[in-house]
């Protein structure tokens, strides 16, 4: 899979023969409620007698590589499938910051919630002369993956090595020019596996180095026309390197 990855997503889709479109992650109302409920149970003072010494907060710098397999299906006005175009292993790279809070259950186990306030953005893909309004018309498409939120459990050894498992969720916002109106793909959830090392520096401050793997559900979108184009993304995966600064109270 990773031998096919490049620094820019190149899933090529067009309203006629192909359109350049960039997609990859996401978040929905149902999942927001689930995450909010679980977080409330974990951090509720009515459920646990939480002391300030059991809480930690932190900030993380992330550098991620995300990829997927793409397929476009073109149908005519009668609903007959005329053409299918596939692109496997398309990818892009982005860097972003996230914040998190953790509750220490015991010396080995913590429960945490991380949030990414800024959008993860794909590059804008441009396809010249394919917009249907002349040879100079350009199709421009990009995607933003907003509000990445992960509820996770962290299990740490006595030597500072730890593992994490989390449930993640994001919103997808697709913008395009001269490519028709594509609806946002909607809710998408996934999971995260990570391994890292934490170094205590003193005064309740620690530094973490971490590698994470992400896997997300398949998504699809269409342009809402009778002779519509339907875009489907599968095998949405990613790898992220992280450096975190943690403050315990």
């Amino acid at each position: 899979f990773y031998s096919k990855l490049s620094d820019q997503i190149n899933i090529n889709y067009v309203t006629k023969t192909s359109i350049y479109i960039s997609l990859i992650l996401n978040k929905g109302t149902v999942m927001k409620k689930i995450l909010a409920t679980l977080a409330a149970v974990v951090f509720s003072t009515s459920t646990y007698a939480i002391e300030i010494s059991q809480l930690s907060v932190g900030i993380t710098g992330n550098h991620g590589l995300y990829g997927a397999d793409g397929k476009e299906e073109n149908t005519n006005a009668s609903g007959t499938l005329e053409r299918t175009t596939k692109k496997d292993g398309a990818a892009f790279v982005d860097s972003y910051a996230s914040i998190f809070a953790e509750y220490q259950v015991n010396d080995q186990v913590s429960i945490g919630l991380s949030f990414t306030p800024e959008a993860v953005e794909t590059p804008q893909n441009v396809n010249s002369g394919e917009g249907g309004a002349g040879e100079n018309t350009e199709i421009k498409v990009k995607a933003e993956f907003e509000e990445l939120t992960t509820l996770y459990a962290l299990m740490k050894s006595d030597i500072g090595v730890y593992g994490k498992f989390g449930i993640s969720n994001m919103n997808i916002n697709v913008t395009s020019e001269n490519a028709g109106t594509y609806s946002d793909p909607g809710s998408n959830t996934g999971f995260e596996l990570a391994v890292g090392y934490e170094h205590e520096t003193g005064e309740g401050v620690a530094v973490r180095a971490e590698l994470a793997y992400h896997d997300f559900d398949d998504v699809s979108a269409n342009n809402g026309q009778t002779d519509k184009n339907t875009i489907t993304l599968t095998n949405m995966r990613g790898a992220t390197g992280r450096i975190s600064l943690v403050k315990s109270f």
Side-chain angles (χ1 to χ4, degrees):
F1 171 76
Y2 288 104
S3 65
K4 301 179 182 178
L5 299 182
S6 61
D7 288 343
Q8 176 171 325
I9 192 166
N10 291 312
I11 302 176
N12 300 333
Y13 298 119
V14 160
T15 51
K16 287 190 174 182
T17 55
S18 57
I19 280 186
Y20 281 85
I21 192 165
S22 322
L23 296 174
I24 299 270
L25 299 165
N26 187 342
K27 182 170 190 162
T29 303
V30 174
M31 193 61 194
K32 288 180 182 178
K33 293 180 179 179
I34 294 174
L35 290 174
T37 301
L38 291 174
V41 170
V42 171
F43 293 106
S44 171
T45 55
S46 64
T47 305
Y48 297 97
I50 294 178
E51 297 180 1
I52 191 69
S53 61
Q54 294 175 283
L55 299 179
S56 300
V57 295
I59 185 169
T60 301
N62 303 267
H63 186 69
L65 174 65
Y66 306 102
D69 298 332
K71 179 177 70 174
E72 180 192 15
E73 296 175 302
N74 307 111
T75 58
N76 59 29
S78 64
T80 302
L81 179 64
E82 292 186 333
R83 181 174 59 254
T84 299
T85 306
K86 294 183 178 181
K87 176 68 176 181
D88 294 336
F92 73 97
V93 175
D94 197 17
S95 298
Y96 54 94
S98 59
I99 56 177
F100 63 90
E102 291 178 356
Y103 165 68
Q104 185 180 26
V105 179
N106 54 45
D107 290 341
Q108 283 75 42
V109 179
S110 297
I111 304 297
L113 188 69
S114 69
F115 177 72
T116 303
E118 61 180 315
V120 179
E121 298 184 357
T122 69
Q124 184 180 63
N125 287 325
V126 179
N127 190 5
S128 300
E130 296 287 351
E135 294 183 358
N136 297 323
T137 303
E138 292 183 335
I139 286 181
K140 301 178 181 180
V141 184
K142 73 173 183 177
E144 295 181 349
F145 311 118
E146 302 173 339
E147 299 178 334
L148 172 61
T149 304
T150 303
L151 180 67
Y152 61 87
L154 184 150
M155 291 144 284
K156 184 170 63 175
S157 70
D158 294 335
I159 61 174
V161 177
Y162 65 85
K164 284 169 61 176
F165 173 77
I167 301 172
S168 300
N169 204 275
M170 284 186 77
N171 284 328
I172 293 180
N173 181 25
V174 180
T175 58
S176 62
E177 298 179 25
N178 303 317
T181 302
Y182 279 81
S183 59
D184 292 339
S187 178
N188 188 329
T189 61
F191 69 87
E192 172 186 305
L193 295 173
V195 62
Y197 174 76
E198 179 176 299
H199 174 68
E200 300 283 348
T201 64
E203 302 297 327
V205 177
V207 177
R208 292 176 183 170
E210 181 177 308
L211 293 174
Y213 167 79
H214 314 272
D215 194 296
F216 288 85
D217 294 337
D218 301 342
V219 295
S220 64
N222 65 72
N223 61 357
Q225 305 297 315
T226 303
D227 51 341
K228 66 182 179 181
N229 295 346
T230 301
I231 297 167
T232 303
L233 293 178
T234 59
N235 298 320
M236 296 202 299
R237 301 164 181 164
T240 304
R242 297 171 175 152
I243 298 294
S244 301
L245 188 64
V246 190
K247 172 60 180 175
S248 300
F249 298 98

